[in-house]
Every structure is written in structure tokens, then in C-alpha cells.
Amino acid sequence: MSTTKIKTAQLWGRNKDDLKKQLVDLKQELATLRTQKVAGGNNSKLTKIHDLRKSIARVLTVINATQRSQLRLFYKNKKYLPLDLRPKKTRAMRRRLTKHEATIVSEKQKKRQMHFPQRKYAVKADA
């Protein structure tokens, strides 16, 4: 049982099986520390519990981040993306017309612009 803090940089290179195994070990260690705390251990267990919880969170973060990056690679050239991989932005921004949709000119509008163009006025300059 290792009670040292886990550095996130060490976790990035590992594969999923190693991370899962380490997660199980950390959770078991956390369970034993909690039972010792209830049985009436010393206060140093509280800091170890804190460190273990943070280490578990780091391992889970690395697992989730690698999983999301794999999903991004899988859906890279697909037509649709899962909702949680799309950019969040705001509701109004997500519903806004795309640049392509905004620049489209209908056939009726093209005719109207051709037959009734913007008028040009000559303005006399005051001398």
C-alpha cells in the first residue's frame, strides 16, 4: 500500500488496464483507512485519506480524458458528434445560423437585387 501522492504526469503514459488496477488498489486502501479511522486511529489518517481521495480523482481524470480523446478520434470525420463532445457555447450561439447559412441568397432575392439595385446618389460638396 502506497500512501504517497500520485503525480498526474506519471499516469498519462499508462494503459487503461494499469489505471483500472491502480484505481482498485487506491479504493481498497481508502476503505482500510476509513475502517481504521472509525476504530479509533490517530489524526494522521485524515491527511492520508485526503491524499488518497485526490489520487483517486487524478486516476479517474486521466481515464476519462483518454477515453474522451479516443472518442474524438473515432468521431473525427463522422457527420454527427455526440452531444458531450460538441462545443458547449451558449444556447443562443448554438442556434445561430452558420456562416454558410447566413450568406445564402435565395433565387427571389437574387432577382430583386438584379432588378432593383442599391441606388447611388451623388452628394454635392459645399464649397
Side-chain angles (χ1 to χ4, degrees), residues 45-56:
K45 299 225 184 331
L46 293 175
T47 55
K48 286 181 183 176
I49 287 173
H50 177 267
D51 292 344
L52 270 175
R53 287 179 60 235
K54 300 305 170 190
S55 297
I56 289 171

Side-chain angles (χ1 to χ4, degrees), residues 1-62:
M1 288 188 204
S2 64
T3 55
T4 59
K5 290 182 185 177
I6 294 174
K7 300 269 192 294
T8 313
Q10 299 168 349
L11 299 174
W12 285 113
R14 296 188 183 177
N15 62 5
K16 193 173 180 181
D17 295 331
D18 290 344
L19 291 172
K20 292 273 187 186
K21 195 168 124 184
Q22 185 161 20
L23 186 64
V24 169
D25 292 342
L26 288 170
K27 285 185 176 182
Q28 285 175 348
E29 192 174 345
L30 181 64
T32 57
L33 278 176
R34 282 185 172 154
T35 53
Q36 288 173 0
K37 187 184 98 171
V38 170
N42 55 357
N43 289 340
S44 66
K45 299 225 184 331
L46 293 175
T47 55
K48 286 181 183 176
I49 287 173
H50 177 267
D51 292 344
L52 270 175
R53 287 179 60 235
K54 300 305 170 190
S55 297
I56 289 171
R58 285 186 189 101
V59 171
L60 284 172
T61 300
V62 170

